[in-house]
Amino acid sequence: NAGVTQTPKFRVLKTGQSMTLLCAQDMNHEYMYWYRQDPGMGLRLIHYSVGEGTTAKGEVPDGYNVSRLKKQNFLLGLESAAPSQTSVYFCASSWGLAGGGEQYFGPGTRLTVT
Amino acid sequence: AQSVTQPDIHITVSEGASLELRCNYSYGATPYLFWYVQSPGQGLQLLLKYFSGDTLVQGIKGFEAEFKRSQSSFNLRKPSVHWSDAAEYFCAVGALRGTYKYIFGTGTRLKVLA
């Protein structure tokens, strides 16, 4: 039981390049989330999904796209990376309130955009 | 608007001393409240949560938190801090009604002196 895994762990991009971050969970969770963590700002929600095939915008969605084609996977895409997207990205999943409400987090992806 | 405030950015305590980390929230209904801990380079781990019932909740690693509705607070406490408790602590309001979203505070970084 791996929990929540994220790929890759580290990445350096040049401005304008694109990339996809992969999140996978093996707990059969309905809800999945992408956050970014910046110093002094806590975790800010980028996008989230309440089930396979659904996505919704969070607090800071601009510059990012997501897809949830399979229940266990949640992909975060950067089409044209900008230095402002340098951050640590965390994926989380949850059963929702019926399952206790807590989120389970991946180990994070550290992204640097030069 | 919903918000979570952690007024202390940094706290330093001596090993063996007691600890209290403050968390205040703004939410128009009974909240679902969480405390998470993040060790350096790691994802977030749940310490404890409050949904309803007894306002004093026990968590892992000897932590407890008390929900005070009148003060809109959910402070985290530990009677005797260990060096391994050095980490960043996040308070969160969860599963906001109808949105499945969570709001995190900006975190409190705990340093433990030997």
Side-chain angles (χ1 to χ4, degrees), chain A residues 33 37 90 100-103, chain B residues 36 38 49 51 90 100 102:
Chain A
Y33 307 80
Q37 184 179 33
F90 286 99
E102 64 262 37
Q103 295 180 302
Chain B
Y36 289 87
Q38 183 182 32
K49 63 184 179 184
F51 273 20
F90 291 93
Y100 309 100
Y102 299 72

Side-chain angles (χ1 to χ4, degrees), chain A residues 24-44:
Chain A
Q25 53 95 3
D26 60 4
M27 296 172 282
N28 203 34
H29 287 167
E30 286 293 336
Y31 311 118
M32 297 188 74
Y33 307 80
W34 275 108
Y35 294 92
R36 60 177 291 173
Q37 184 179 33
D38 303 291
M41 303 191 75
L43 274 76
R44 292 183 293 169

Side-chain angles (χ1 to χ4, degrees), chain B:
Chain B
Q2 301 92 351
S3 65
V4 177
T5 301
Q6 293 181 246
D8 303 306
I9 298 173
H10 297 279
I11 283 186
T12 299
V13 300
S14 297
E15 192 170 18
S18 63
L19 172 70
E20 183 169 30
L21 302 183
R22 295 183 290 166
C23 173
N24 293 95
Y25 65 89
S26 173
Y27 184 55
T30 301
Y32 301 94
L33 295 160
F34 304 83
W35 274 101
Y36 289 87
V37 60
Q38 183 182 32
S39 298
Q42 304 294 317
L44 279 70
Q45 180 187 18
L46 179 72
L47 282 176
L48 47 77
K49 63 184 179 184
Y50 171 79
F51 273 20
S52 63
D54 192 347
T55 56
L56 184 65
V57 293
Q58 303 296 320
I60 62 171
K61 305 184 180 186
F63 285 92
E64 65 178 26
E66 186 171 14
F67 170 60
K68 292 186 177 179
R69 185 189 306 275
S70 62
Q71 299 178 18
S72 296
S73 69
F74 188 55
N75 293 350
L76 182 71
R77 300 193 295 247
K78 186 169 185 178
S80 178
V81 170
H82 189 264
W83 63 266
S84 60
D85 293 324
E88 191 156 20
Y89 292 80
F90 291 93
C91 180
V93 172
L96 304 179
R97 188 168 297 164
T99 68
Y100 309 100
K101 294 193 289 188
Y102 299 72
I103 294 178
F104 286 79
T106 52
T108 298
R109 186 170 296 278
L110 174 65
K111 183 177 179 179
V112 180
L113 301 176

